[in-house]
Amino acid sequence: MRVFVETARTGSVSTAAELCHLSQPAATQAVASIEANFGTALLIRNRQRSTLTSCGIHVEYRTKAALKHLRDGARNALREAGHKAVRRQTFELAVTASQLRNLIAIANTGSFTMAARSLGLSQPTVHRTARNLEAVAGLPFFIARPSGVHLTAAADAFMRGAKLAQSELRQAVEDISRETGKERGTFVLGSLPLARTAIVPKALHAMVSTVEGFQVRVVEGRYAELLRSLREGDIDCLIGALRDPIPADDIEQELLFQDALAIVAHPRHPLVDQRMVTLGDTVKFPWIAPPKETPAGQYLFDTLQIDKRAQSPVRVVSSSMAVLRGVLAEGPYVSIVSQHQINLDEALGTIAVLDVPLSGHVRDIGLTYRRDWTPTETQSLCIEYLRDFSKLVR
């Protein structure tokens, strides 16, 4: 990748070879190898100067971004290691692709054996490659414990850079597929409960109806898990309730619309037909509450301070809409949830909103993505659909 970037910058494989401390045949082979990996010509060669093809322009941009992620990852690893670092030079210049693949596989599986299985290699090969990576970096990366292999803070920092670099190269493949008229690729969307009800399904249908050969993968989970996956490049974008303050300096949040919370129950609940119900009225009944770390949970526990009462009415804690529907149908339970999230349930008559006056219960809903993320054209189209359908709920 470095040879390709220097060749694109200088227009000369010979100059790139000198800058990367390689022989000219080795540099020529490196350029041919990256073209073979992407399955298309990236450079137009002539006597005076090598220039980029249209596909080469995409690959140069993504490759430079990938190398920057590796460089930042190495710097962060050295910072995390502190005095434990044996060497201080930019060790990412010496790592190999196989070492990066091994690091990511070990991080994903937490085991040398499972990593070997996922890579189709032997366990001794993976173990040896991992230790060679430690030697190259001059840092302790792996800690073997009875529960599996744990990454040190330094390894975790470098692994994040490696995964982000991998994500950039994956997007380069998708850029090329669009450029050559063979659209393929993916958009990985992390979805919090609120957006699953209407916005995401409508955007998915629009994408399927508009673009062939492109796949949208929806990943559901709790915010902390989705945020980590987003920051590591496993997820491209996250839709749901925004956080204040913003939880990390390498992400951005984009407001789509604002949504209000509502206190709800089953239509058969005794409080459904009453007007001006107070919170005190609701705590006479058992509650199914969202987790404290969710925005609805924060409002319930921090603002309404439901857990500060002499006897907490919270008997069940869950963020699952399926569990919420089921529990409300079983008895006189009460809960708090996004108004938008239950629009369909309310229309179908399966959940009713209680007449409980609330204040300060409006939440910001939007997109979260990495600050330095550049979506492909098709990924940008998917984001536009999310924006468009979000306008319908304002």
Side-chain angles (χ1 to χ4, degrees), residues 206-229:
M207 282 297 296
V208 170
S209 303
T210 306
V211 184
E212 294 185 5
F214 190 82
Q215 184 180 80
V216 182
R217 292 175 48 209
V218 179
V219 179
E220 299 180 355
R222 302 183 72 166
Y223 182 81
E225 299 163 352
L226 294 177
L227 180 64
R228 179 180 174 89
S229 295

Side-chain angles (χ1 to χ4, degrees), residues 100-306:
L100 294 177
R101 285 193 295 270
N102 272 256
L103 173 63
I104 293 171
I106 294 168
N108 288 341
T109 62
S111 160
F112 288 132
T113 301
M114 295 300 295
R117 189 173 300 172
S118 69
L119 293 170
L121 302 172
S122 68
Q123 193 270 354
T125 298
V126 169
H127 187 272
R128 182 172 60 253
T129 304
R131 297 309 178 190
N132 287 342
L133 174 59
E134 286 185 314
V136 168
L139 302 172
F141 268 11
F142 307 101
I143 303 172
R145 293 176 178 168
S147 58
V149 180
H150 291 253
L151 267 61
T152 63
D156 193 64
F158 188 56
M159 179 273 299
R160 180 173 294 173
K163 293 185 78 170
L164 290 174
Q166 186 182 60
S167 176
E168 291 288 350
L169 298 180
R170 184 171 59 248
Q171 287 186 288
V173 173
E174 297 174 11
D175 287 328
I176 289 174
S177 72
R178 186 178 180 87
E179 186 71 30
T180 57
K182 302 174 183 177
E183 185 76 65
R184 63 188 178 92
T186 58
F187 177 65
V188 186
L189 177 67
S191 179
L192 294 167
L194 167 69
R196 299 173 200 160
T197 55
I199 301 168
V200 170
K202 290 181 182 297
L204 297 185
H205 176 64
M207 282 297 296
V208 170
S209 303
T210 306
V211 184
E212 294 185 5
F214 190 82
Q215 184 180 80
V216 182
R217 292 175 48 209
V218 179
V219 179
E220 299 180 355
R222 302 183 72 166
Y223 182 81
E225 299 163 352
L226 294 177
L227 180 64
R228 179 180 174 89
S229 295
L230 175 76
R231 297 179 68 200
E232 292 180 356
D234 294 326
I235 287 176
D236 296 312
C237 184
L238 175 61
I239 184 169
L242 303 182
R243 265 51 180 180
D244 183 24
I246 193 166
D249 59 7
D250 59 348
I251 64 170
E252 291 184 351
Q253 297 186 143
E254 174 187 338
L255 176 65
L256 293 178
F257 64 95
Q258 291 185 314
D259 186 53
L261 294 171
I263 294 182
V264 301
H266 192 272
R268 294 193 303 266
H269 197 283
L271 295 178
V272 167
D273 295 326
Q274 295 187 25
R275 292 292 170 261
M276 298 300 292
V277 178
T278 67
L279 185 65
D281 295 329
T282 69
V283 298
K284 297 174 184 176
F285 299 90
W287 270 69
I288 171 171
K292 285 186 178 181
E293 63 269 19
T294 65
Q298 288 176 351
Y299 182 81
L300 181 64
F301 290 98
D302 295 343
T303 304
L304 299 183
Q305 296 189 328
I306 197 169

Side-chain angles (χ1 to χ4, degrees), residues 24-38:
Q24 182 168 340
T28 300
Q29 184 179 4
V31 172
S33 176
I34 198 170
E35 288 184 318
N37 285 334
F38 283 107

Side-chain angles (χ1 to χ4, degrees), residues 2-3 5-7 9-10 12-22 27 93:
R2 288 190 292 274
V3 171
V5 167
E6 291 298 341
T7 300
R9 185 176 69 85
T10 64
S12 168
V13 175
S14 299
T15 303
E18 293 178 9
L19 292 171
C20 296
H21 307 291
L22 295 173
L93 299 177

